[in-house]
Amino acid sequence: MEQHQTKLFEAATQNSITSLQQLLIDDPLILERALVNRFNETPLHVAAMLGHVDFVREIIGLQPQLVNELNSQLYSPLHLAAAKGHAGVVKALLSVDNHACLGRDRNELLPLHLATTKGHIEAMKLLLEARPEATMVKACGGENILHLCVKSYRLEALKLIVTSLKPVVDFINCGDNDGNTVLHLAVAEKQVEVVKYLVSVSAVQVGMKNDDGLTAMDILIRSRRDLRDSEIEYLLKHGDKPAKKKAKKNSWNGLMKKHAVWLEKEKHILMVVASVIATMAFQAGVNPPDGLWKKHDVPKNATGAIDPNVTLEYSTKFYIWNTIAFISSLSIILLLTSGLPIRRRLFMWILMVITWITISAIAVSYLITIKYLREIEGGHDPFKVGDPQVYTLLVWFLLMFLLLVCHTVRIVVKLFKKLRNGCIKCTRSLC
């Protein structure tokens, strides 16, 4: 008997129908015994995997129950034929019993899943026609068949599934166990062509959020930057419409986009900087520079007049500006850890203003200390007209002022445009 079983498998391997018929003459129950061997490979598994259509048709005609037999990996013959892309074998097996379309293997995958991940379009068409509901069955991790298409880089398979689904709205926006839609995955994998196709499908919701509250655009911003990001960003914002005339590279729009990307990716660095400034300001507050809060007789003018209140005046100024730097740096830390949408222009502007105040306050504290220490040493005023330090200070404050004004004007103009557009829409709706 064992020798007959060996010859049966050899016949399946060689696609020899003649050998099969001879074995059936010698042992009419040889195919019945194949049904008894649970969790073992059957001759039909071997023939289906190798794509021997004629042998498959012959054996299922004699023993159709072999179609639903499973091997040790819970693969049915249909699993193996679909994974290998043997469309003829898939068609023959489905003609006997298409229930195997819904059978799961050890990895909880259907034959349609295996054909999809391998990109076998013809086999997919046959499976979809036999059991359309197989597309709704999720794999492990809550992934549907569209997720598998993207993870396997199968654009044509994705298009076939989307066009065969009716309706497609809920399914194409369905998330996995982490809430990631197929668009989230495509953006994370930087698959430009897939993103381009998905945004062209009207049912796809570009602003859909995953369980972490992230949209596809958020995924793009948080990912490692490369040359494809600008195209993906355009697709997410404008769909698959052709790009109009590009704006100048140095436009404010481009600067703000670059700033948004920089801010999102370098947020932890800004956190470290703010923490360092807060530490410096705290240490300077509880342990001020030597002599700043001590009583000295400081000459106030060239005549040598002494004013003992000068020390108190300098220490008060230093205390005020150092406190501003300390509170501002703590505000930056609070804003970065608050979970607010820092990418929004308003919050970016607020963070920029606070950062500007923090750095300027630290600079002023430093200048106050230097001025005081130089005065008590020799009565020399380091900030008189003509001193290089005066011009350096003026340039610093001018630069900070210009940056603040430019960003503020841009924010105001943006808000004004939105208000104007809103008024126009309201007027049109009333008319």
Side-chain angles (χ1 to χ4, degrees), residues 264-365:
E264 190 66 32
K265 295 183 72 66
E266 305 298 330
K267 196 162 58 174
H268 62 286
I269 297 179
L270 189 58
M271 175 75 77
V272 172
V273 172
S275 301
V276 171
I277 294 177
T279 303
M280 291 170 51
F282 177 82
Q283 289 296 331
V286 299
N287 187 23
D290 184 41
L292 185 62
W293 285 358
K294 295 179 181 179
K295 290 188 177 181
H296 292 279
D297 292 334
V298 183
K300 193 174 182 180
N301 50 46
T303 62
I306 304 299
D307 186 355
N309 294 322
V310 170
T311 299
L312 179 61
E313 177 185 350
Y314 277 101
S315 62
T316 302
K317 290 180 179 178
F318 174 81
Y319 176 77
I320 292 173
W321 286 103
N322 188 72
T323 302
I324 291 174
F326 180 67
I327 298 299
S328 300
S329 58
L330 292 182
S331 300
I332 294 174
I333 297 173
L334 179 62
L335 188 60
L336 291 174
T337 57
S338 63
L340 293 173
I342 304 299
R343 292 185 300 105
R344 299 295 177 86
R345 289 185 177 89
L346 178 60
F347 291 108
M348 285 172 55
W349 180 81
I350 294 174
L351 188 61
M352 181 197 66
V353 171
I354 297 176
T355 305
W356 180 82
I357 292 173
T358 303
I359 297 174
S360 298
I362 283 291
V364 173
S365 300

Side-chain angles (χ1 to χ4, degrees), residues 24-37:
L24 287 170
I25 293 173
D26 297 339
D27 184 5
L29 298 179
I30 191 170
L31 294 181
E32 296 290 340
R33 292 190 181 90
L35 291 171
V36 178
N37 297 328

Side-chain angles (χ1 to χ4, degrees), residues 11 36 42 54 87 93 111-112 115 155 179 226 276 308 324 429:
V36 178
T42 68
D54 295 334
L93 295 172
L112 179 60
L155 177 57
D226 62 28
V276 171
I324 291 174
S429 62

